[in-house]
């Protein structure tokens, strides 16, 4: 896509911290619930622990702050064997608490709950109904216009917003007989797979993120696109574009991540169009083709996934027919994405050694 740099929104890559970087330490408050790490790199799972009980526990703030730290460190956390689906109120309280508790401790702003530009017509606009129909499950692919690659769907939520998401929560209660798995990938590990020379080069760059295809979605839904304030005063208007640093630092972990995704990131601002296209293609390939930085999750009724949009990507599998995968999502807004040289590689910070010799 050709994009004239003169028309780009101004970069928002400045440091949005009130002081220096102060990553949060794990307190071990959730160890009693026996979390299981699903891969060495990404994904932690709890079984039978009721999220509703954590929300109402006398020490809820301690437990939820630790949960938010776990989400940012492990990219995605799953809660299986939930007795009931979460109410919209529980989902919103949870998203608010997770965002607020970590932002105040890390010295960043918490942005609010997002209103998706195509969801304003619903009764509760801070909740996005996630249905198979919306994503086109079961539809035939078009030879002329459609992609035949399932990997095209890798993305990070709403990065077209100047203040994008820190954490998203999805509760799914209607599931197909099989299929419909979701995959997540680690932006920390994608960063750690750059050679030091390339990493250093990318740390000085910014990229344009564009969600203006949602105008077409709104048109197809025959509902006007919501161009009002979407959870934060900076997320306003009909032009769904933002410029973010290409490498960002997660304020909760202090770890550097690769902040580009192939659905929304269109252009590296400081490079020519050709250079940008080639480099972005390689960066997207790093995420798509390294299955050892991904985790694949098989949904069961009432399961909940909570993920860090600051530091991960995800992709749904549209391999089932019929419209029988239904859930609700709440999306918390973080602070403006930023880069600081105080950030560290995850591998370096955990003493794992470099991935590349
Ligand atoms: Fe998503």
């Amino acid at each position: 896509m050709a994009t004239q740099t003169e028309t780009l929104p101004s970069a928002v890559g400045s440091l949005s911290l009130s002081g220096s970087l102060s990553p949060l330490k794990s307190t071990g408050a959730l160890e009693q619930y026996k979390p299981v790490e699903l891969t060495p790199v990404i994904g932690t799972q709890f079984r039978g622990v009721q999220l509703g009980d954590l929300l109402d526990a006398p020490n809820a703030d301690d437990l939820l702050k630790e949960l938010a730290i776990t989400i940012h460190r492990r990219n995605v956390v799953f809660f299986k064997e939930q007795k009931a689906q979460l109410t919209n109120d529980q989902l919103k309280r949870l998203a608010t608490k997770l965002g607020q508790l970590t932002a105040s401790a890390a010295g960043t702003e918490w942005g609010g709950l997002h209103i998706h530009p195509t969801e304003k017509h619903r009764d509760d606009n801070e909740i996005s109904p996630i249905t198979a129909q919306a994503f086109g499950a079961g539809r035939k692919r078009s030879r002329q216009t459609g992609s035949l690659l399932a990997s095209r769907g890798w993305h990070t939520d709403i990065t077209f917003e100047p203040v994008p998401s820190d954490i998203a929560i999805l509760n799914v209660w209607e599931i197909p007989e099989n299929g419909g798995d979701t995959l997540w990938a680690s932006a920390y590990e994608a960063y750690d797979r750059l050679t030091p020379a390339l990493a250093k080069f990318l740390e000085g760059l910014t990229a344009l993120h564009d969600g203006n295809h949602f105008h077409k979605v709104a048109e197809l839904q025959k509902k006007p696109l919501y161009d009002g304030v979407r959870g934060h005063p900076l997320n306003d208007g009909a032009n769904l574009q933002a410029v973010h640093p290409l490498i960002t630092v997660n304020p909760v972990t202090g770890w550097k991540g690769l902040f580009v995704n192939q659905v929304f990131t269109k252009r590296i601002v400081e490079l020519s169009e050709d250079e940008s296209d080639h480099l972005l293609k390689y960066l997207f390939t790093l995420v798509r083709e390294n299955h050892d930085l991904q985790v694949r999750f098989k949904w069961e009724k009432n399961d909940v996934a909570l993920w860090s949009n600051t530091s991960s990507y995800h992709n749904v599998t549209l391999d089932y027919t019929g419209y029988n995968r239904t859930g609700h999502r709440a999306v918390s807004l973080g602070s403006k994405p930023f880069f600081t040289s105080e950030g560290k590689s995850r591998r370096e910070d955990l003493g794992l050694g470099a991935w590349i010799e």
Side-chain angles (χ1 to χ4, degrees):
M1 174 189 131
T3 308
Q4 297 303 310
T5 47
E6 304 88 275
T7 63
L8 297 181
S10 60
V12 291
S14 60
L15 187 68
S16 349
L17 283 167
S18 52
S20 59
L21 194 65
S22 43
L24 309 185
K25 298 264 179 279
S26 169
T27 61
L30 292 174
E31 283 306 310
Q32 57 184 311
Y33 301 114
K34 303 194 173 7
V36 173
E37 296 198 341
L38 298 179
T39 81
V41 169
I42 179 172
T44 289
Q45 183 165 285
F46 293 88
R47 277 196 176 274
V49 182
Q50 303 303 305
L51 268 168
D53 292 347
L54 295 190
L55 256 178
D56 295 330
N59 59 340
D61 281 8
D62 293 341
L63 296 173
L64 295 176
K65 187 171 155 194
E66 178 66 8
L67 175 57
I69 293 170
T70 310
I71 294 165
H72 284 294
R73 288 178 75 88
R74 298 291 301 163
N75 301 110
V76 58
V77 173
F78 305 109
F79 281 78
K80 295 197 79 72
E81 298 170 6
Q82 300 297 291
K83 289 176 189 154
Q85 74 183 67
L86 293 170
T87 63
N88 287 357
D89 178 61
Q90 283 177 314
L91 260 178
K92 289 192 293 186
R93 275 167 57 210
L94 194 52
T96 303
K97 281 276 184 192
L98 294 171
Q100 276 179 342
L101 289 167
T102 39
S104 62
T108 54
E109 272 181 54
W110 179 69
L113 294 181
H114 189 239
I115 298 171
H116 199 277
T118 60
E119 299 296 343
K120 177 61 181 170
H121 58 286
R122 302 188 192 270
D123 295 341
D124 190 341
N125 57 29
E126 290 171 342
I127 295 289
S128 293
I130 301 294
T131 62
Q133 196 165 18
F135 291 113
R139 268 185 224 150
K140 297 267 186 243
R141 306 299 191 268
S142 159
R143 192 168 57 232
Q144 276 81 29
T145 58
S147 169
L148 303 182
L149 299 175
S151 61
R152 277 281 283 269
W154 279 104
H155 69 284
T156 302
D157 295 322
I158 66 161
T159 60
F160 56 84
E161 298 284 22
V163 179
S165 166
D166 55 352
I167 285 178
I169 309 171
L170 176 60
N171 180 203
V172 171
W173 57 83
E174 193 180 5
I175 50 162
E177 220 168 271
N178 55 37
D181 298 358
T182 306
L183 291 83
W184 279 265
S186 167
Y188 304 132
E189 186 68 11
Y191 171 84
D192 278 340
R193 294 187 185 199
L194 303 168
T195 54
L198 182 55
K200 195 167 171 41
F201 172 62
L202 297 180
E203 285 173 6
L205 303 179
T206 58
L208 173 72
H209 297 243
D210 185 315
N212 279 319
H213 64 271
F214 285 120
H215 286 270
K216 187 80 188 161
V217 174
E219 206 180 297
L220 289 171
Q221 289 179 341
K222 298 190 171 50
K223 301 267 170 51
L225 181 122
Y226 178 59
D227 59 5
V229 172
R230 295 179 294 274
H232 188 283
L234 289 175
N235 298 347
D236 190 11
N239 185 23
L240 305 177
Q241 286 191 327
V243 173
H244 300 301
L246 204 141
I247 304 295
T248 57
V249 174
N250 184 319
V252 177
T253 58
W255 296 340
K256 295 176 189 174
L258 176 63
F259 198 70
V260 294
N261 70 85
Q262 61 187 20
V263 167
F264 296 120
T265 312
K266 305 298 180 190
R267 175 72 190 271
I268 299 174
V269 175
E270 294 80 2
L271 303 185
S272 72
E273 189 179 341
D274 288 341
E275 289 170 330
S276 169
D277 286 351
H278 281 279
L279 192 47
L280 282 177
K281 195 172 171 188
Y282 176 68
L283 298 176
F284 298 153
T285 304
L286 266 183
V287 175
R288 249 186 357 235
E289 297 195 9
N290 280 308
H291 72 272
D292 53 352
L293 54 74
Q294 302 171 4
V295 65
R296 180 168 178 147
F297 183 65
K298 188 161 194 58
W299 294 95
E300 293 176 293
K301 188 178 167 65
N302 295 334
D303 283 351
V304 183
L306 307 97
W307 64 93
S308 165
N309 271 318
T310 317
S311 304
S312 72
Y313 327 91
H314 55 281
N315 191 8
V316 66
T317 310
L318 301 172
D319 56 353
Y320 52 99
T321 52
Y323 297 123
N324 53 355
R325 181 176 176 277
T326 311
H328 275 175
R329 185 185 71 172
V331 175
S332 160
L333 301 172
S335 55
K336 290 187 210 169
F338 64 87
F339 176 77
T340 164
S341 56
E342 289 179 79
K344 289 182 176 170
S345 130
R346 168 185 163 275
R347 285 184 168 272
E348 177 196 338
D349 197 41
L350 294 179
L352 299 172
W355 193 79
I356 304 167
E357 279 192 336

